[in-house]
């Protein structure tokens, strides 16, 4: 990855963390960072496509988490 690519990925990561209230170093933030890099490694370079994919990913994780909490009650 080139410096501009890494800058873009960091901006996307920081923006999503801020909007979703994810704290740096938390498990959720680490998962987000990993997913962001995975998308890039798979050849997804468009900012909007990365953001859309991450929104879907986080939405699925959130829904699965809520479903598991509902089963535990």
């Amino acid at each position: 990855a080139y410096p501009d690519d890494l800058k873009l990925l960091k901006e996307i990561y920081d923006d999503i963390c801020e909007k979703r209230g994810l704290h740096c170093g938390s498990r959720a933030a680490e998962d987000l960072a990993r997913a962001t890099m995975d998308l890039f490694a798979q050849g997804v370079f468009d900012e909007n496509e990365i953001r859309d994919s991450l929104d879907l990913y986080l939405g699925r994780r959130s829904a699965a988490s809520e479903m598991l909490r509902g089963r535990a009650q």
Side-chain angles (χ1 to χ4, degrees):
Y2 293 99
D4 286 343
D5 295 331
L6 295 175
K7 181 181 175 191
L8 173 64
L9 295 176
K10 175 124 175 56
E11 287 172 1
I12 292 169
Y13 167 83
D14 288 343
D15 184 51
I16 292 173
C17 281
E18 183 179 324
K19 286 180 179 174
R20 293 192 175 248
L22 303 178
H23 299 284
C24 186
S26 69
R27 171 80 189 248
E30 288 179 10
D31 289 346
L32 174 62
R34 192 172 301 109
T36 304
M37 292 304 294
D38 287 346
L39 285 168
F40 189 80
Q42 293 171 18
V44 181
F45 305 118
D46 180 73
E47 178 178 358
N48 291 324
E49 192 173 349
I50 293 170
R51 288 179 181 277
D52 290 346
S53 295
L54 291 172
D55 281 341
L56 287 172
Y57 168 76
L58 292 169
R60 279 189 231 129
R61 284 183 47 92
S62 178
S65 202
E66 287 177 22
M67 188 174 71
L68 290 173
R69 275 191 295 241
R71 287 184 184 170
Q73 294 177 354

